PDB file of all heavy atoms in Angstrom:
ATOM      1  N   ASN T  46      24.421  51.287 -12.749  1.00 90.00           N
ATOM      2  CA  ASN T  46      25.860  51.278 -12.461  1.00 90.00           C
ATOM      3  C   ASN T  46      26.123  51.063 -10.970  1.00 90.00           C
ATOM      4  O   ASN T  46      25.565  51.763 -10.133  1.00 90.00           O
ATOM      5  CB  ASN T  46      26.499  52.592 -12.910  1.00 90.00           C
ATOM      6  CG  ASN T  46      25.757  53.812 -12.390  1.00 90.00           C
ATOM      7  OD1 ASN T  46      24.679  54.142 -12.872  1.00 90.00           O
ATOM      8  ND2 ASN T  46      26.342  54.483 -11.415  1.00 90.00           N
ATOM      9  N   PRO T  47      26.970  50.107 -10.616  1.00 91.00           N
ATOM     10  CA  PRO T  47      27.290  49.870  -9.202  1.00 91.00           C
ATOM     11  C   PRO T  47      28.319  50.845  -8.640  1.00 91.00           C
ATOM     12  O   PRO T  47      28.450  50.965  -7.421  1.00 91.00           O
ATOM     13  CB  PRO T  47      27.837  48.442  -9.201  1.00 91.00           C
ATOM     14  CG  PRO T  47      28.441  48.279 -10.560  1.00 91.00           C
ATOM     15  CD  PRO T  47      27.588  49.092 -11.493  1.00 91.00           C
ATOM     16  N   PHE T  48      29.067  51.524  -9.512  1.00 92.00           N
ATOM     17  CA  PHE T  48      30.089  52.463  -9.075  1.00 92.00           C
ATOM     18  C   PHE T  48      29.743  53.874  -9.544  1.00 92.00           C
ATOM     19  O   PHE T  48      29.118  54.044 -10.584  1.00 92.00           O
ATOM     20  CB  PHE T  48      31.468  52.065  -9.618  1.00 92.00           C
ATOM     21  CG  PHE T  48      31.916  50.697  -9.203  1.00 92.00           C
ATOM     22  CD1 PHE T  48      31.800  49.627 -10.077  1.00 92.00           C
ATOM     23  CD2 PHE T  48      32.449  50.477  -7.946  1.00 92.00           C
ATOM     24  CE1 PHE T  48      32.208  48.359  -9.699  1.00 92.00           C
ATOM     25  CE2 PHE T  48      32.859  49.218  -7.566  1.00 92.00           C
ATOM     26  CZ  PHE T  48      32.736  48.149  -8.429  1.00 92.00           C
ATOM     27  N   ASN T  49      30.181  54.846  -8.780  1.00 92.00           N
ATOM     28  CA  ASN T  49      29.953  56.232  -9.158  1.00 92.00           C
ATOM     29  C   ASN T  49      30.772  56.552 -10.406  1.00 92.00           C
ATOM     30  O   ASN T  49      32.009  56.488 -10.368  1.00 92.00           O
ATOM     31  CB  ASN T  49      30.369  57.156  -8.006  1.00 92.00           C
ATOM     32  CG  ASN T  49      30.002  58.599  -8.252  1.00 92.00           C
ATOM     33  OD1 ASN T  49      30.563  59.234  -9.129  1.00 92.00           O
ATOM     34  ND2 ASN T  49      29.078  59.109  -7.473  1.00 92.00           N
ATOM     35  N   PRO T  50      30.151  56.878 -11.538  1.00 92.00           N
ATOM     36  CA  PRO T  50      30.896  57.075 -12.797  1.00 92.00           C
ATOM     37  C   PRO T  50      31.943  58.179 -12.725  1.00 92.00           C
ATOM     38  O   PRO T  50      33.046  58.028 -13.260  1.00 92.00           O
ATOM     39  CB  PRO T  50      29.793  57.424 -13.801  1.00 92.00           C
ATOM     40  CG  PRO T  50      28.540  56.865 -13.214  1.00 92.00           C
ATOM     41  CD  PRO T  50      28.701  57.002 -11.735  1.00 92.00           C
ATOM     42  N   ALA T  51      31.624  59.282 -12.077  1.00 91.00           N
ATOM     43  CA  ALA T  51      32.581  60.386 -11.986  1.00 91.00           C
ATOM     44  C   ALA T  51      33.826  59.981 -11.210  1.00 91.00           C
ATOM     45  O   ALA T  51      34.952  60.323 -11.586  1.00 91.00           O
ATOM     46  CB  ALA T  51      31.920  61.598 -11.329  1.00 91.00           C
ATOM     47  N   MET T  52      33.636  59.224 -10.130  1.00 93.00           N
ATOM     48  CA  MET T  52      34.782  58.787  -9.330  1.00 93.00           C
ATOM     49  C   MET T  52      35.608  57.741 -10.069  1.00 93.00           C
ATOM     50  O   MET T  52      36.830  57.696  -9.932  1.00 93.00           O
ATOM     51  CB  MET T  52      34.299  58.233  -7.994  1.00 93.00           C
ATOM     52  CG  MET T  52      33.610  59.265  -7.099  1.00 93.00           C
ATOM     53  SD  MET T  52      34.681  60.674  -6.664  1.00 93.00           S
ATOM     54  CE  MET T  52      34.205  61.890  -7.904  1.00 93.00           C
ATOM     55  N   VAL T  53      34.956  56.900 -10.862  1.00 92.00           N
ATOM     56  CA  VAL T  53      35.687  55.931 -11.673  1.00 92.00           C
ATOM     57  C   VAL T  53      36.606  56.652 -12.655  1.00 92.00           C
ATOM     58  O   VAL T  53      37.791  56.323 -12.792  1.00 92.00           O
ATOM     59  CB  VAL T  53      34.713  55.004 -12.415  1.00 92.00           C
ATOM     60  CG1 VAL T  53      35.452  54.161 -13.445  1.00 92.00           C
ATOM     61  CG2 VAL T  53      33.990  54.095 -11.433  1.00 92.00           C
ATOM     62  N   ALA T  54      36.061  57.648 -13.344  1.00 92.00           N
ATOM     63  CA  ALA T  54      36.862  58.393 -14.318  1.00 92.00           C
ATOM     64  C   ALA T  54      38.021  59.114 -13.639  1.00 92.00           C
ATOM     65  O   ALA T  54      39.151  59.103 -14.139  1.00 92.00           O
ATOM     66  CB  ALA T  54      35.971  59.396 -15.048  1.00 92.00           C
ATOM     67  N   TYR T  55      37.759  59.730 -12.500  1.00 91.00           N
ATOM     68  CA  TYR T  55      38.808  60.474 -11.802  1.00 91.00           C
ATOM     69  C   TYR T  55      39.931  59.550 -11.342  1.00 91.00           C
ATOM     70  O   TYR T  55      41.114  59.858 -11.513  1.00 91.00           O
ATOM     71  CB  TYR T  55      38.212  61.209 -10.610  1.00 91.00           C
ATOM     72  CG  TYR T  55      39.237  61.910  -9.755  1.00 91.00           C
ATOM     73  CD1 TYR T  55      39.848  63.079 -10.188  1.00 91.00           C
ATOM     74  CD2 TYR T  55      39.600  61.389  -8.517  1.00 91.00           C
ATOM     75  CE1 TYR T  55      40.800  63.725  -9.411  1.00 91.00           C
ATOM     76  CE2 TYR T  55      40.549  62.027  -7.731  1.00 91.00           C
ATOM     77  CZ  TYR T  55      41.138  63.187  -8.177  1.00 91.00           C
ATOM     78  OH  TYR T  55      42.084  63.808  -7.400  1.00 91.00           O
ATOM     79  N   VAL T  56      39.568  58.403 -10.759  1.00 91.00           N
ATOM     80  CA  VAL T  56      40.580  57.471 -10.262  1.00 91.00           C
ATOM     81  C   VAL T  56      41.388  56.880 -11.414  1.00 91.00           C
ATOM     82  O   VAL T  56      42.609  56.698 -11.311  1.00 91.00           O
ATOM     83  CB  VAL T  56      39.915  56.358  -9.422  1.00 91.00           C
ATOM     84  CG1 VAL T  56      40.901  55.226  -9.143  1.00 91.00           C
ATOM     85  CG2 VAL T  56      39.393  56.934  -8.118  1.00 91.00           C
ATOM     86  N   VAL T  57      40.727  56.574 -12.533  1.00 91.00           N
ATOM     87  CA  VAL T  57      41.444  56.049 -13.697  1.00 91.00           C
ATOM     88  C   VAL T  57      42.480  57.054 -14.184  1.00 91.00           C
ATOM     89  O   VAL T  57      43.634  56.711 -14.463  1.00 91.00           O
ATOM     90  CB  VAL T  57      40.456  55.685 -14.819  1.00 91.00           C
ATOM     91  CG1 VAL T  57      41.190  55.453 -16.134  1.00 91.00           C
ATOM     92  CG2 VAL T  57      39.673  54.439 -14.448  1.00 91.00           C
ATOM     93  N   LEU T  58      42.090  58.309 -14.282  1.00 89.00           N
ATOM     94  CA  LEU T  58      43.031  59.346 -14.714  1.00 89.00           C
ATOM     95  C   LEU T  58      44.139  59.555 -13.696  1.00 89.00           C
ATOM     96  O   LEU T  58      45.304  59.755 -14.064  1.00 89.00           O
ATOM     97  CB  LEU T  58      42.287  60.657 -14.945  1.00 89.00           C
ATOM     98  CG  LEU T  58      41.286  60.683 -16.106  1.00 89.00           C
ATOM     99  CD1 LEU T  58      40.560  62.022 -16.151  1.00 89.00           C
ATOM    100  CD2 LEU T  58      41.983  60.421 -17.427  1.00 89.00           C
ATOM    101  N   LEU T  59      43.796  59.496 -12.415  1.00 87.00           N
ATOM    102  CA  LEU T  59      44.788  59.714 -11.373  1.00 87.00           C
ATOM    103  C   LEU T  59      45.832  58.608 -11.355  1.00 87.00           C
ATOM    104  O   LEU T  59      47.030  58.869 -11.170  1.00 87.00           O
ATOM    105  CB  LEU T  59      44.096  59.799 -10.015  1.00 87.00           C
ATOM    106  CG  LEU T  59      44.943  60.241  -8.821  1.00 87.00           C
ATOM    107  CD1 LEU T  59      45.496  61.638  -9.046  1.00 87.00           C
ATOM    108  CD2 LEU T  59      44.131  60.189  -7.538  1.00 87.00           C
ATOM    109  N   ILE T  60      45.402  57.368 -11.569  1.00 88.00           N
ATOM    110  CA  ILE T  60      46.335  56.249 -11.563  1.00 88.00           C
ATOM    111  C   ILE T  60      47.106  56.157 -12.879  1.00 88.00           C
ATOM    112  O   ILE T  60      48.300  55.838 -12.887  1.00 88.00           O
ATOM    113  CB  ILE T  60      45.578  54.925 -11.299  1.00 88.00           C
ATOM    114  CG1 ILE T  60      44.976  54.950  -9.886  1.00 88.00           C
ATOM    115  CG2 ILE T  60      46.484  53.720 -11.466  1.00 88.00           C
ATOM    116  CD1 ILE T  60      44.129  53.749  -9.565  1.00 88.00           C
ATOM    117  N   SER T  61      46.442  56.456 -13.978  1.00 87.00           N
ATOM    118  CA  SER T  61      47.089  56.332 -15.286  1.00 87.00           C
ATOM    119  C   SER T  61      48.060  57.475 -15.569  1.00 87.00           C
ATOM    120  O   SER T  61      49.083  57.272 -16.225  1.00 87.00           O
ATOM    121  CB  SER T  61      46.027  56.291 -16.389  1.00 87.00           C
ATOM    122  OG  SER T  61      45.128  55.218 -16.185  1.00 87.00           O
ATOM    123  N   PHE T  62      47.728  58.673 -15.110  1.00 83.00           N
ATOM    124  CA  PHE T  62      48.573  59.844 -15.373  1.00 83.00           C
ATOM    125  C   PHE T  62      48.891  60.558 -14.060  1.00 83.00           C
ATOM    126  O   PHE T  62      48.463  61.705 -13.843  1.00 83.00           O
ATOM    127  CB  PHE T  62      47.867  60.799 -16.339  1.00 83.00           C
ATOM    128  CG  PHE T  62      47.365  60.134 -17.585  1.00 83.00           C
ATOM    129  CD1 PHE T  62      46.028  59.769 -17.713  1.00 83.00           C
ATOM    130  CD2 PHE T  62      48.227  59.850 -18.638  1.00 83.00           C
ATOM    131  CE1 PHE T  62      45.565  59.152 -18.867  1.00 83.00           C
ATOM    132  CE2 PHE T  62      47.769  59.237 -19.791  1.00 83.00           C
ATOM    133  CZ  PHE T  62      46.435  58.880 -19.905  1.00 83.00           C
ATOM    134  N   PRO T  63      49.643  59.898 -13.168  1.00 77.00           N
ATOM    135  CA  PRO T  63      49.886  60.494 -11.841  1.00 77.00           C
ATOM    136  C   PRO T  63      50.687  61.789 -11.893  1.00 77.00           C
ATOM    137  O   PRO T  63      50.437  62.695 -11.097  1.00 77.00           O
ATOM    138  CB  PRO T  63      50.654  59.388 -11.098  1.00 77.00           C
ATOM    139  CG  PRO T  63      51.286  58.572 -12.186  1.00 77.00           C
ATOM    140  CD  PRO T  63      50.318  58.611 -13.329  1.00 77.00           C
ATOM    141  N   VAL T  64      51.638  61.889 -12.809  1.00 72.00           N
ATOM    142  CA  VAL T  64      52.459  63.094 -12.878  1.00 72.00           C
ATOM    143  C   VAL T  64      51.622  64.283 -13.336  1.00 72.00           C
ATOM    144  O   VAL T  64      51.647  65.364 -12.736  1.00 72.00           O
ATOM    145  CB  VAL T  64      53.656  62.881 -13.825  1.00 72.00           C
ATOM    146  CG1 VAL T  64      54.453  64.167 -13.962  1.00 72.00           C
ATOM    147  CG2 VAL T  64      54.545  61.755 -13.312  1.00 72.00           C
ATOM    148  N   GLU T  65      50.857  64.077 -14.404  1.00 70.00           N
ATOM    149  CA  GLU T  65      50.040  65.172 -14.941  1.00 70.00           C
ATOM    150  C   GLU T  65      48.929  65.583 -13.967  1.00 70.00           C
ATOM    151  O   GLU T  65      48.532  66.754 -13.928  1.00 70.00           O
ATOM    152  CB  GLU T  65      49.414  64.765 -16.274  1.00 70.00           C
ATOM    153  CG  GLU T  65      50.391  64.657 -17.431  1.00 70.00           C
ATOM    154  CD  GLU T  65      51.212  63.374 -17.401  1.00 70.00           C
ATOM    155  OE1 GLU T  65      50.961  62.538 -16.514  1.00 70.00           O
ATOM    156  OE2 GLU T  65      52.107  63.213 -18.254  1.00 70.00           O
ATOM    157  N   MET T  66      48.428  64.620 -13.182  1.00 73.00           N
ATOM    158  CA  MET T  66      47.315  64.904 -12.282  1.00 73.00           C
ATOM    159  C   MET T  66      47.762  65.452 -10.932  1.00 73.00           C
ATOM    160  O   MET T  66      46.946  66.011 -10.195  1.00 73.00           O
ATOM    161  CB  MET T  66      46.491  63.633 -12.063  1.00 73.00           C
ATOM    162  CG  MET T  66      45.766  63.131 -13.296  1.00 73.00           C
ATOM    163  SD  MET T  66      44.374  64.167 -13.769  1.00 73.00           S
ATOM    164  CE  MET T  66      43.211  63.792 -12.466  1.00 73.00           C
ATOM    165  N   THR T  67      49.029  65.283 -10.586  1.00 67.00           N
ATOM    166  CA  THR T  67      49.483  65.686  -9.251  1.00 67.00           C
ATOM    167  C   THR T  67      50.679  66.618  -9.267  1.00 67.00           C
ATOM    168  O   THR T  67      51.295  66.839  -8.230  1.00 67.00           O
ATOM    169  CB  THR T  67      49.838  64.446  -8.407  1.00 67.00           C
ATOM    170  OG1 THR T  67      50.867  63.694  -9.083  1.00 67.00           O
ATOM    171  CG2 THR T  67      48.623  63.547  -8.219  1.00 67.00           C
ATOM    172  N   SER T  68      51.058  67.144 -10.415  1.00 64.00           N
ATOM    173  CA  SER T  68      52.204  68.056 -10.481  1.00 64.00           C
ATOM    174  C   SER T  68      51.717  69.493 -10.569  1.00 64.00           C
ATOM    175  O   SER T  68      50.818  69.811 -11.346  1.00 64.00           O
ATOM    176  CB  SER T  68      53.076  67.736 -11.703  1.00 64.00           C
ATOM    177  OG  SER T  68      53.666  66.459 -11.579  1.00 64.00           O
ATOM    178  N   TRP T  69      52.330  70.347  -9.770  1.00 59.00           N
ATOM    179  CA  TRP T  69      51.982  71.759  -9.779  1.00 59.00           C
ATOM    180  C   TRP T  69      53.248  72.594  -9.810  1.00 59.00           C
ATOM    181  O   TRP T  69      54.294  72.178  -9.332  1.00 59.00           O
ATOM    182  CB  TRP T  69      51.168  72.138  -8.538  1.00 59.00           C
ATOM    183  CG  TRP T  69      49.879  71.436  -8.412  1.00 59.00           C
ATOM    184  CD1 TRP T  69      48.665  71.837  -8.887  1.00 59.00           C
ATOM    185  CD2 TRP T  69      49.643  70.186  -7.753  1.00 59.00           C
ATOM    186  NE1 TRP T  69      47.689  70.926  -8.581  1.00 59.00           N
ATOM    187  CE2 TRP T  69      48.278  69.889  -7.876  1.00 59.00           C
ATOM    188  CE3 TRP T  69      50.464  69.272  -7.076  1.00 59.00           C
ATOM    189  CZ2 TRP T  69      47.700  68.743  -7.349  1.00 59.00           C
ATOM    190  CZ3 TRP T  69      49.900  68.126  -6.555  1.00 59.00           C
ATOM    191  CH2 TRP T  69      48.533  67.878  -6.688  1.00 59.00           C
ATOM    192  N   ILE T  70      53.143  73.769 -10.336  1.00 53.00           N
ATOM    193  CA  ILE T  70      54.256  74.713 -10.338  1.00 53.00           C
ATOM    194  C   ILE T  70      54.148  75.580  -9.091  1.00 53.00           C
ATOM    195  O   ILE T  70      53.057  75.980  -8.692  1.00 53.00           O
ATOM    196  CB  ILE T  70      54.221  75.587 -11.602  1.00 53.00           C
ATOM    197  CG1 ILE T  70      54.258  74.703 -12.851  1.00 53.00           C
ATOM    198  CG2 ILE T  70      55.364  76.572 -11.614  1.00 53.00           C
ATOM    199  CD1 ILE T  70      54.089  75.467 -14.142  1.00 53.00           C
ATOM    200  N   ALA T  71      55.260  75.845  -8.475  1.00 53.00           N
ATOM    201  CA  ALA T  71      55.252  76.666  -7.250  1.00 53.00           C
ATOM    202  C   ALA T  71      54.715  78.059  -7.540  1.00 53.00           C
ATOM    203  O   ALA T  71      54.885  78.574  -8.648  1.00 53.00           O
ATOM    204  CB  ALA T  71      56.663  76.750  -6.683  1.00 53.00           C
ATOM    205  N   PRO T  72      54.043  78.708  -6.567  1.00 50.00           N
ATOM    206  CA  PRO T  72      53.501  80.047  -6.805  1.00 50.00           C
ATOM    207  C   PRO T  72      54.606  81.046  -7.108  1.00 50.00           C
ATOM    208  O   PRO T  72      55.670  81.011  -6.504  1.00 50.00           O
ATOM    209  CB  PRO T  72      52.792  80.381  -5.480  1.00 50.00           C
ATOM    210  CG  PRO T  72      53.462  79.517  -4.478  1.00 50.00           C
ATOM    211  CD  PRO T  72      53.820  78.255  -5.200  1.00 50.00           C
ATOM    212  N   ASN T  73      54.324  81.921  -8.029  1.00 49.00           N
ATOM    213  CA  ASN T  73      55.352  82.871  -8.457  1.00 49.00           C
ATOM    214  C   ASN T  73      54.679  84.157  -8.916  1.00 49.00           C
ATOM    215  O   ASN T  73      53.827  84.132  -9.806  1.00 49.00           O
ATOM    216  CB  ASN T  73      56.174  82.261  -9.601  1.00 49.00           C
ATOM    217  CG  ASN T  73      57.305  83.182 -10.024  1.00 49.00           C
ATOM    218  OD1 ASN T  73      57.751  84.014  -9.252  1.00 49.00           O
ATOM    219  ND2 ASN T  73      57.755  83.026 -11.254  1.00 49.00           N
ATOM    220  N   ALA T  74      55.019  85.235  -8.275  1.00 49.00           N
ATOM    221  CA  ALA T  74      54.428  86.525  -8.657  1.00 49.00           C
ATOM    222  C   ALA T  74      54.931  86.937 -10.027  1.00 49.00           C
ATOM    223  O   ALA T  74      56.122  86.913 -10.290  1.00 49.00           O
ATOM    224  CB  ALA T  74      54.780  87.585  -7.620  1.00 49.00           C
ATOM    225  N   ILE T  75      54.017  87.293 -10.904  1.00 46.00           N
ATOM    226  CA  ILE T  75      54.380  87.664 -12.268  1.00 46.00           C
ATOM    227  C   ILE T  75      54.141  89.145 -12.515  1.00 46.00           C
ATOM    228  O   ILE T  75      54.960  89.846 -13.080  1.00 46.00           O
ATOM    229  CB  ILE T  75      53.582  86.821 -13.282  1.00 46.00           C
ATOM    230  CG1 ILE T  75      53.978  85.349 -13.141  1.00 46.00           C
ATOM    231  CG2 ILE T  75      53.850  87.294 -14.709  1.00 46.00           C
ATOM    232  CD1 ILE T  75      53.185  84.431 -14.042  1.00 46.00           C
ATOM    233  N   SER T  76      53.022  89.651 -12.060  1.00 51.00           N
ATOM    234  CA  SER T  76      52.722  91.065 -12.260  1.00 51.00           C
ATOM    235  C   SER T  76      53.267  91.891 -11.098  1.00 51.00           C
ATOM    236  O   SER T  76      53.113  91.524  -9.938  1.00 51.00           O
ATOM    237  CB  SER T  76      51.199  91.261 -12.371  1.00 51.00           C
ATOM    238  OG  SER T  76      50.883  92.627 -12.451  1.00 51.00           O
ATOM    239  N   SER T  77      53.913  92.990 -11.388  1.00 51.00           N
ATOM    240  CA  SER T  77      54.468  93.836 -10.322  1.00 51.00           C
ATOM    241  C   SER T  77      53.370  94.540  -9.555  1.00 51.00           C
ATOM    242  O   SER T  77      53.551  94.915  -8.397  1.00 51.00           O
ATOM    243  CB  SER T  77      55.422  94.869 -10.922  1.00 51.00           C
ATOM    244  OG  SER T  77      54.741  95.673 -11.887  1.00 51.00           O
TER     245      SER T  77
END
Side-chain angles (χ1 to χ4, degrees):
N46 51 286
F48 301 100
N49 187 292
M52 296 300 96
V53 170
Y55 175 74
V56 168
V57 167
L58 294 176
L59 189 61
I60 295 176
S61 302
F62 309 100
V64 176
E65 289 78 4
M66 294 288 289
T67 58
S68 295
W69 299 269
I70 303 174
N73 183 24
I75 295 177
S76 175
S77 58

